Amino acid sequence: MFDFFNDVADKAKAGNAKAKEVMQSWAEAEWFTSRPRCRATSPSASSRCRRDQHRRPVASARRLEPPRHPLHYLAMLKNTREGAAFKPEEDGKRGPMKFIDDLKKRGHLVAYVGDVVGTGSSRKSATNSVIWATGQDIPFVPNKRFGGVTLGGKIAPIFFNTQEDSGSLPIEVDVSKLEMGDVVDIQPYDGKIVKNGAVIAEFKLKNDVLFDEVRAGGRINLIIGRSLTAKAREFLALPASTVFRLPQPPIARRPASPWRRRWWPRGRPAGRPGRAPGTYCEPKMTTVGSQDTTGPMTRDELKDLACLGFSADLVMQSFCHTAAYPKPVDVKTHRELPAFISNAAASRCARATA
């Protein structure tokens, strides 16, 4: 409803019963409350990968069309790794798909586990592969999945954020007592992992908003949905919704040095004079940049969201990784992607003029 909220509002004002019904549904956040809550206890089979899990083993080695096609998943962990508890089905081409399927047949979620998870680049492609392995189908939406659980002693920040966007539950926790194939109970509300009746690890989620992100099917869904509910409630002259969890700000510590004071104003884009480190905020974005690898994925995400025009003042699309030695799929992307970017920018300008 990026572009058409006001159309529904105008119909509701004019007395259209269906428009009023839709507006009331948005105001009550039925898009959110109709979805199941994050489970208090989640039995999971551990898919354990030791040592640093760079994103490259789980991202596709070759970009296919469309960019988030399920075939990407087949290349996950396709290279033989010393000391791994599994082997690829075809070295360099196809990962241990049957091994992962056998874990799924136990009837539990499959948790992707590593000491250090998600370093490197192309986190979106890597997240796509992991969620195809561990997530679940989205009703009525083909070729996409959401959800899953990732456990890591340390999870790279951008990979963590991309997992949030996809409705997954990323948890930083000591995984030293987890082995391949272990069946454990993950208790996210209590912050415990239980194996054979004993607590083997304890953790604290990054913030409680993660529960809402999982329930909404992803952080992007939650951010857009909360905004939609807020606009509907404002239109109906209702007070702010109490359905959603609010992020708790960290305890603000007084800047102790000129260097810290220099970083203190970082909250200004969010309309605040300053933000303490670790504070959750949703700043107003005025400039957005995308490069060739993520450009097609970004395009498809925007289409999925029915976002027909950009909201930021400046949107840039570059071709850097693939411009020197383009493959056929790159040539196609270089020809088609600029038109999408230009048309979306033109749509924004048209809306602004109107």
Side-chain angles (χ1 to χ4, degrees):
M1 299 309 298
F2 279 96
D3 302 305
F4 299 110
F5 177 88
N6 291 332
D7 292 12
V8 178
D10 289 342
K11 290 181 182 297
K13 284 180 182 177
N16 185 294
K18 290 298 183 183
K20 289 181 179 179
E21 185 180 328
V22 169
M23 193 66 68
Q24 188 66 39
S25 175
W26 288 342
E28 294 175 3
E30 290 181 351
W31 60 268
F32 178 76
T33 57
S34 62
R35 297 176 62 92
R37 297 175 183 270
C38 184
R39 286 184 286 181
T41 300
S42 175
S44 304
S46 170
S47 176
R48 172 66 190 266
C49 298
R50 295 188 178 278
R51 296 186 292 277
D52 183 356
Q53 288 305 293
H54 192 277
R55 65 88 199 163
R56 195 169 297 280
V58 293
S60 74
R62 169 184 312 151
R63 281 180 292 124
L64 305 171
E65 191 64 33
R68 292 185 65 194
H69 196 284
L71 288 177
H72 281 181
Y73 157 56
L74 301 180
M76 177 177 168
L77 303 170
K78 61 183 173 48
N79 296 320
T80 301
R81 297 170 63 84
E82 183 181 352
F86 51 81
K87 293 182 179 180
E89 293 173 12
E90 189 175 357
D91 191 31
K93 293 185 178 181
R94 184 182 176 93
M97 302 300 105
K98 185 178 184 304
F99 182 88
I100 295 174
D101 288 341
D102 287 343
L103 287 177
K104 292 180 181 178
K105 288 177 181 177
R106 298 186 181 192
H108 305 311
L109 292 174
V110 176
Y112 187 76
V113 183
D115 301 308
V116 180
V117 179
T119 57
S121 59
S122 298
R123 274 51 166 249
K124 195 172 187 64
S125 181
T127 292
N128 179 56
S129 294
V130 171
I131 290 178
W132 265 101
T134 64
Q136 54 190 302
D137 292 335
I138 303 174
F140 313 110
V141 180
N143 291 335
K144 292 184 186 294
R145 287 182 176 173
F146 78 103
V149 178
T150 296
L151 306 176
K154 182 64 180 177
I155 302 177
I158 299 179
F159 187 85
F160 191 106
N161 293 338
T162 311
Q163 292 265 298
E164 288 183 86
D165 292 342
S166 303
S168 179
L169 181 60
I171 300 174
E172 288 193 337
V173 59
D174 179 10
V175 297
S176 60
K177 295 181 181 179
L178 283 170
E179 299 295 338
M180 178 69 71
D182 281 351
V183 176
V184 298
D185 286 327
I186 301 173
Q187 301 175 357
Y189 294 97
D190 296 331
K192 296 177 181 179
I193 297 179
V194 179
K195 181 170 71 173
N196 298 327
V199 176
I200 61 170
E202 297 189 28
F203 59 87
K204 182 174 177 58
L205 290 182
K206 183 179 178 182
N207 59 66
D208 286 348
V209 178
L210 272 168
F211 293 122
D212 283 3
E213 292 172 355
V214 171
R215 187 178 187 183
R219 179 173 59 171
I220 295 174
N221 294 359
L222 179 63
I223 291 173
I224 294 172
R226 281 191 320 214
S227 175
L228 181 64
T229 293
K231 289 170 68 174
R233 296 185 73 83
E234 182 180 358
F235 172 79
L236 296 173
L238 297 173
S241 175
T242 58
V243 169
F244 308 106
R245 289 177 169 83
L246 298 177
Q248 298 300 314
I251 299 175
R253 292 179 293 181
R254 190 185 187 92
S257 68
W259 177 256
R260 288 185 181 177
R261 282 196 293 273
R262 204 171 297 160
W263 285 91
W264 196 250
R266 283 299 226 175
R268 287 177 183 169
R272 302 290 183 86
R275 310 286 277 187
T279 302
Y280 179 93
C281 65
E282 295 173 14
K284 179 183 178 182
M285 306 304 294
T286 57
T287 302
V288 178
S290 176
Q291 44 96 309
D292 50 6
T293 306
T294 55
M297 295 181 179
T298 303
R299 173 198 60 199
D300 291 352
E301 291 287 351
L302 292 172
K303 287 181 178 179
D304 289 347
L305 294 168
C307 179
L308 307 181
F310 298 131
S311 300
D313 296 331
L314 176 63
V315 178
M316 301 178 293
Q317 174 64 50
S318 72
F319 297 108
C320 44
H321 286 66
T322 61
Y325 305 101
K327 299 182 180 71
V329 66
D330 300 323
V331 174
K332 185 173 184 288
T333 295
H334 294 172
R335 184 176 65 250
E336 296 177 351
L337 189 57
F340 173 83
I341 299 294
S342 298
N343 291 338
S347 176
R348 180 194 187 282
C349 293
R351 294 203 321 274
T353 302

